[in-house]
Amino acid sequence: MFAGLDLGGTKIQAVLVDVEGKVVSQCRHATPQQGGPQVIIEELFATLQEVTRMVNLEPSALAGVGVGAPGAVDPVAGVLLQAGNLPGWHGPHPLAEILSKKAKVPVFLGNDVQVAVMAEARLGAGRSYRSMLGVWWGTGVGGGIYLDGRRWTGRGAAGEIGHIVVRRGGAKCSCGRRGCMEAYAGRGAMELKARKAVARGEKTRLFELMESQGKDRLTSGVWMKALKQEDGLAERLIARAVRMLGAGIASAVNLLDVEAVIIGGGLGTRLGEPYVERIIQAMHPHLFVSQRPPDVRLSALGELSGAIGAALLSEPPAAGTSSHRSSRSVKGEV
Amino acid sequence: MFAGLDLGGTKIQAVLVDVEGKVVSQCRHATPQQGGPQVIIEELFATLQEVTRMVNLEPSALAGVGVGAPGAVDPVAGVLLQAGNLPGWHGPHPLAEILSKKAKVPVFLGNDVQVAVMAEARLGAGRSYRSMLGVWWGTGVGGGIYLDGRRWTGRGAAGEIGHIVVRRGGAKCSCGRRGCMEAYAGRGAMELKARKAVARGEKTRLFELMESQGKDRLTSGVWMKALKQEDGLAERLIARAVRMLGAGIASAVNLLDVEAVIIGGGLGTRLGEPYVERIIQAMHPHLFVSQRPPDVRLSALGELSGAIGAALLSEPPAAGTSSHRSSRSVKGEV
């Protein structure tokens, strides 16, 4: 049995999976907003204890624990270097080592988007394809590339599809550059744009909905609700995001000619199939080989893809499953 | 000994190479502008005869002949399917079979850009890198991708870097789509833009230079000369092309994180190092990991890269050279 912990800015999602990747228990805790790394690691441990207790085990009885974290990761050292989205996490902290000592079990660390894409590639919507591009649509737009059944990492930073330039000289991106796909499609960028529109006097229900749900930012749920209520600004910003996702993903397909594109991430998962269909339509005018588009599919593991992917960091391959690789290469890659 | 023939719209470049890829003879013929496929294949044979005669051989004494052709190719059947740039070549024609019968030697067929990038990857500017992106800047902007020392072809159409979208909804491309990098940087697109500017009354020496060189289109040589004379329109259009190349190549690097980018093609080779430097500058603002840019290098084989690459289609690997692959895989790939 293996545990996976998906560490996010607001919640920690835990799963236990068996050797075949089947989820046998799951639970969710809130991410502590005060106290920094020490308190966050304490809460990771508490979540791990709860998810193992659900099947009457102790963490030390597990074969391994994987953690997917939002930020720059040194997977070999198990150090979370930077994590802008985690309250109070400034600079490197040896997350894996500390958690491993508490739980008395090996702990592996990976980037949250990378492990989620890996889960989809091995067990989810991508599992029947030899080549795929994962597009994780959330606060930013992350990605992952699988070619010939193996993850392509380049010199360590491949997959940054959010920073494909879709409009040279265009909107300012959170990365400091201009015209990136993420500057139009990222939930963070869309929120900034919405706040500016409101400051100009434009009408929208986005921020009322945010407050009524007790949030301090425009979550995927808030966007979803605003779209259901046919809020004009929400519809306009999402339509713009979809257009830019279409152009950027098509560019990547023209370059790589992959068999499949998997759409995931908080916003991708929440908006679901109808928006996958809209992304397909937005890609079409830009596909060089438009008569043979790639399959574009929604993440199959949904909100659990990150936690399941984290569990895979410590999981040996299931026998006879060709899409599973050796646990050594999985650890080395992420 | 192997022969390579680089078949272009205006000239046929031939080389003989030895097993180490060294060029032992070369010659150049004009591509017949009348008569279509039959006459063109006749001229390919005449060029082949001349280049072998230079070392006192007959074509039938060669180990093999490769042809790089500008268009869609069926490499297994040796059929040139379409070739918009070849005068009178409409529809499929079994080039390899006909030439093979004439020359009494095996003939292999590949796409001109793909074989040129292969030559750079194996013998030229890319040979010390495990991963590289070839950007062939000419009438259009073609490309090729090498990952882990092997060409990545996707489902057969990978590498279309010219059709990365750099400005969604932007300039019309020859492919019929909008905002492609090629719509700004391709020599064909730049010529269209220059003709429109002249029609609007703008002053330029581009077309005088074209006529004085006896050309009917703006060749790389014409652009080069206009730039040397500091022609305002030429400088402006080339500067725009460089900006868009910078954004598009940086997008590809953000996605693939390759070690190196090799700039080739008619215009790339002709403009040379100073423009490679300008492309590097134009990429910089868009690189996600800007502190660790890829090496960007000019094609080392220059105008011969296509002919040498064509020769490689029929060449077995040199012993002990790890970047050389089996001739079987080379044939199968291109």
Side-chain angles (χ1 to χ4, degrees):
Chain A
M1 209 83 86
F2 311 88
L5 299 166
D6 183 11
L7 171 58
T10 54
K11 49 97 193 157
I12 298 165
Q13 172 72 54
V15 296
L16 279 195
V17 302
D18 62 19
V19 284
E20 272 149 8
K22 221 184 104 218
V23 174
V24 293
S25 70
Q26 54 166 298
C27 70
R28 189 183 268 204
H29 283 200
T31 304
Q33 301 298 306
Q34 308 266 322
Q38 225 178 325
V39 178
I40 288 173
I41 296 172
E42 203 62 65
E43 195 62 32
L44 280 171
F45 181 51
T47 318
L48 176 63
Q49 284 182 304
E50 185 182 336
V51 81
T52 46
R53 207 179 301 127
M54 290 166 82
V55 292
N56 297 313
L57 287 176
E58 283 296 314
S60 59
L62 298 171
V65 174
V67 180
V73 158
D74 178 339
V76 177
V79 170
L80 177 53
L81 301 166
Q82 266 190 312
N85 278 338
L86 286 181
W89 200 294
H90 310 298
H93 219 81
L95 186 152
E97 189 189 328
I98 300 173
L99 184 58
S100 179
K101 274 188 188 150
K102 281 184 200 290
K104 299 181 184 64
V105 61
V107 174
F108 304 89
L109 184 65
N111 168 270
D112 56 351
V113 169
Q114 297 304 334
V115 300
V117 176
M118 175 170 68
E120 289 296 333
R122 288 178 56 185
L123 302 168
R127 94 194 136 182
S128 61
Y129 301 103
R130 293 289 300 162
S131 62
M132 61 156 267
L133 177 69
V135 180
W136 251 237
W137 185 17
T139 305
V141 182
I145 301 168
Y146 281 76
L147 303 176
D148 264 345
R150 287 162 52 208
R151 190 167 152 229
W152 174 255
T153 56
R155 293 177 293 160
E160 288 293 352
I161 191 168
H163 303 281
I164 277 193
V165 180
V166 289
R167 184 175 287 274
R168 201 197 153 274
K172 187 103 181 183
C173 185
S174 65
C175 75
R177 298 169 193 87
R178 284 198 173 275
C180 301
M181 184 164 87
E182 180 169 313
Y184 300 94
R187 200 174 45 204
M190 288 195 295
E191 174 165 342
L192 275 176
K193 188 91 179 163
R195 288 189 189 277
K196 279 185 190 161
V198 168
R200 277 199 317 270
E202 202 164 332
K203 293 269 175 290
T204 175
R205 299 217 56 216
L206 275 164
F207 296 97
E208 289 165 44
L209 289 168
M210 178 186 88
E211 279 161 31
S212 74
Q213 293 191 18
K215 310 286 187 187
D216 60 355
R217 57 199 177 83
L218 300 180
T219 60
S220 298
V222 171
W223 283 101
M224 188 67 188
K225 204 149 201 170
L227 290 172
K228 277 202 178 137
Q229 298 189 6
E230 299 182 354
D231 181 82
L233 182 66
E235 284 180 340
R236 194 152 49 78
L237 290 176
I238 290 279
R240 190 172 81 136
V242 166
R243 282 197 302 273
M244 296 307 194
L245 284 168
I249 298 171
S251 291
V253 170
N254 291 345
L255 192 64
L256 291 174
D257 196 20
V258 286
E259 294 169 17
V261 175
I262 311 298
I263 308 289
L267 204 47
T269 310
R270 196 70 179 244
L271 296 180
E273 296 287 1
Y275 284 81
V276 169
E277 198 48 52
R278 285 180 60 179
I279 290 169
I280 293 172
Q281 297 304 323
M283 284 169 64
H284 190 77
H286 298 291
L287 285 177
F288 189 68
V289 188
S290 55
Q291 69 275 26
R292 196 203 50 191
D295 291 347
V296 183
R297 296 182 55 188
L298 186 63
S299 147
L301 308 172
E303 293 192 328
L304 293 185
S305 61
I308 295 172
L312 292 178
L313 288 173
S314 63
E315 190 190 0
T321 320
S322 69
S323 66
H324 285 211
R325 291 146 302 138
S326 78
S327 64
R328 157 164 282 172
S329 78
V330 172
K331 282 173 209 162
E333 277 173 12
V334 176
Chain B
M1 209 83 87
F2 310 88
L5 299 165
D6 183 12
L7 171 58
T10 56
K11 49 95 194 158
I12 298 164
Q13 172 73 54
V15 295
L16 279 194
V17 301
D18 63 18
V19 284
E20 271 148 12
K22 221 186 104 219
V23 174
V24 292
S25 72
Q26 52 166 298
C27 71
R28 189 183 267 207
H29 283 199
T31 305
Q33 301 297 308
Q34 307 267 321
Q38 221 176 330
V39 177
I40 289 174
I41 295 172
E42 202 64 63
E43 195 62 34
L44 279 171
F45 181 51
T47 319
L48 176 64
Q49 283 181 306
E50 187 184 335
V51 83
T52 46
R53 205 179 301 127
M54 291 165 84
V55 292
N56 297 312
L57 287 176
E58 283 294 316
S60 59
L62 297 171
V65 174
V67 180
V73 157
D74 179 338
V76 177
V79 171
L80 178 51
L81 301 167
Q82 266 190 312
N85 278 337
L86 286 181
W89 200 294
H90 310 297
H93 219 81
L95 186 152
E97 188 189 330
I98 299 173
L99 184 58
S100 179
K101 274 187 188 151
K102 281 184 202 291
K104 299 181 184 65
V105 62
V107 175
F108 303 89
L109 184 64
N111 169 271
D112 57 350
V113 169
Q114 297 303 335
V115 300
V117 176
M118 174 169 68
E120 290 295 332
R122 289 178 55 183
L123 301 168
R127 91 193 138 183
S128 62
Y129 301 102
R130 294 290 298 163
S131 62
M132 60 157 268
L133 177 69
V135 180
W136 252 236
W137 185 17
T139 305
V141 183
I145 301 167
Y146 282 76
L147 304 176
D148 264 344
R150 287 162 52 207
R151 192 169 151 228
W152 174 255
T153 56
R155 293 177 293 160
E160 288 293 352
I161 191 170
H163 302 282
I164 277 192
V165 180
V166 290
R167 185 175 286 277
R168 201 198 153 274
K172 187 105 182 180
C173 185
S174 66
C175 75
R177 295 166 194 89
R178 285 199 172 274
C180 301
M181 183 164 87
E182 180 169 311
Y184 301 93
R187 199 174 46 205
M190 288 196 295
E191 175 166 342
L192 274 176
K193 189 91 178 164
R195 288 189 188 276
K196 278 186 191 160
V198 168
R200 276 199 317 270
E202 202 164 332
K203 293 271 175 288
T204 175
R205 300 217 54 218
L206 275 165
F207 295 97
E208 288 164 45
L209 290 168
M210 177 185 89
E211 279 161 30
S212 73
Q213 292 191 19
K215 310 286 188 188
D216 60 355
R217 58 200 178 83
L218 299 180
T219 61
S220 297
V222 171
W223 283 101
M224 188 69 186
K225 206 150 201 169
L227 291 171
K228 277 200 176 137
Q229 298 189 8
E230 299 182 355
D231 181 83
L233 182 66
E235 283 179 340
R236 195 152 49 77
L237 290 177
I238 291 280
R240 189 171 83 135
V242 166
R243 282 198 301 273
M244 295 308 195
L245 283 169
I249 298 171
S251 291
V253 170
N254 292 344
L255 192 64
L256 290 174
D257 197 21
V258 287
E259 294 170 18
V261 176
I262 311 299
I263 308 288
L267 204 48
T269 310
R270 197 68 178 246
L271 296 179
E273 296 287 1
Y275 284 81
V276 169
E277 199 47 54
R278 286 180 60 179
I279 290 169
I280 292 171
Q281 297 304 324
M283 284 168 64
H284 190 76
H286 297 292
L287 285 177
F288 189 69
V289 188
S290 55
Q291 69 275 25
R292 196 203 51 191
D295 292 347
V296 182
R297 297 182 57 188
L298 186 63
S299 145
L301 307 173
E303 293 192 326
L304 293 186
S305 61
I308 295 172
L312 292 178
L313 288 174
S314 62
E315 190 190 2
T321 320
S322 69
S323 65
H324 284 212
R325 290 148 300 140
S326 77
S327 64
R328 158 165 283 172
S329 78
V330 171
K331 284 174 207 161
E333 277 173 13
V334 176

